Amino acid sequence: MFDNLIAKYHDIKAKRENGEGGFTLIELLVVVVIIGILIAIAIPLYLNYQKGANDKSSQSDLRAAVSTLQQCYSENSNSYPTAPANAADATGSITFTCGTTTEKANLSDGTHLTYAKDGSGVVTMKSWNTDGKKDSSTNAYSYDSSAGGSIK
């Protein structure tokens, strides 16, 4: 019995020395563990970059909407337009009616924008990007026309 096992061992050893071997189970498990560790590090980094890009997209869309709003303000005898139909939660684009013309601000995918004008003529806008998720916890940016045009 032991002679048979020893012969089999010498056979396997000879095959490995001749280059006919493969990977052992331990070697394969080590490779799988290393790949798993790399994936565990990479995925959270990627998601943070993606979230940051969505936040920047939302901020950029709000700046573009403010520029469009200011152009409309100039064309409309220094008066901000009334709220458009989709002012409560605009996605895709928002169109302002400026007297006889219209101005349109396009929004990136996943960006939401709200527009409100109070009785004294002060306009507030808020934007955020949900990246397709219903209530995503991304940063929201706001604009208040009484604050001089800064975006917070």
Side-chain angles (χ1 to χ4, degrees):
M1 179 173 149
F2 288 113
D3 291 335
N4 196 11
L5 287 175
I6 291 172
K8 182 121 175 132
Y9 170 73
H10 286 298
D11 233 11
I12 292 172
K13 189 175 178 187
K15 284 182 181 178
R16 291 238 348 149
E17 289 173 359
N18 292 334
E20 295 181 27
F23 295 107
T24 65
L25 182 61
I26 298 296
E27 291 170 332
L28 291 175
L29 286 174
V30 168
V31 169
V32 169
V33 167
I34 290 171
I35 290 172
I37 290 170
L38 292 174
I39 288 172
I41 292 170
I43 288 177
L45 290 174
Y46 170 74
L47 292 176
N48 283 337
Y49 287 131
Q50 191 177 22
K51 183 176 180 278
N54 288 336
D55 287 345
K56 292 295 182 187
S57 173
S58 170
Q59 190 177 23
S60 174
D61 289 345
L62 181 59
R63 289 186 194 282
V66 168
S67 294
T68 303
L69 184 68
Q70 293 301 333
Q71 183 174 353
C72 194
Y73 180 82
S74 298
E75 293 173 0
N76 199 24
S77 304
N78 294 335
S79 175
Y80 289 112
T82 57
N86 62 343
D89 187 6
T91 56
S93 68
I94 187 165
T95 303
F96 301 106
T97 303
C98 316
T100 58
T101 62
T102 58
E103 296 293 336
K104 183 177 181 180
N106 293 317
L107 305 172
S108 302
D109 288 340
T111 298
H112 297 259
L113 184 105
T114 60
Y115 174 90
K117 179 180 173 186
D118 67 10
S120 62
V122 174
V123 168
T124 57
M125 289 194 292
K126 179 180 173 186
S127 74
W128 66 97
N129 190 304
T130 60
D131 185 31
K133 299 172 195 136
K134 191 163 178 173
D135 290 317
S136 182
S137 60
T138 58
N139 292 329
Y141 300 95
S142 61
Y143 165 79
D144 186 340
S145 64
S146 66
S150 62
I151 294 177
K152 300 174 184 166

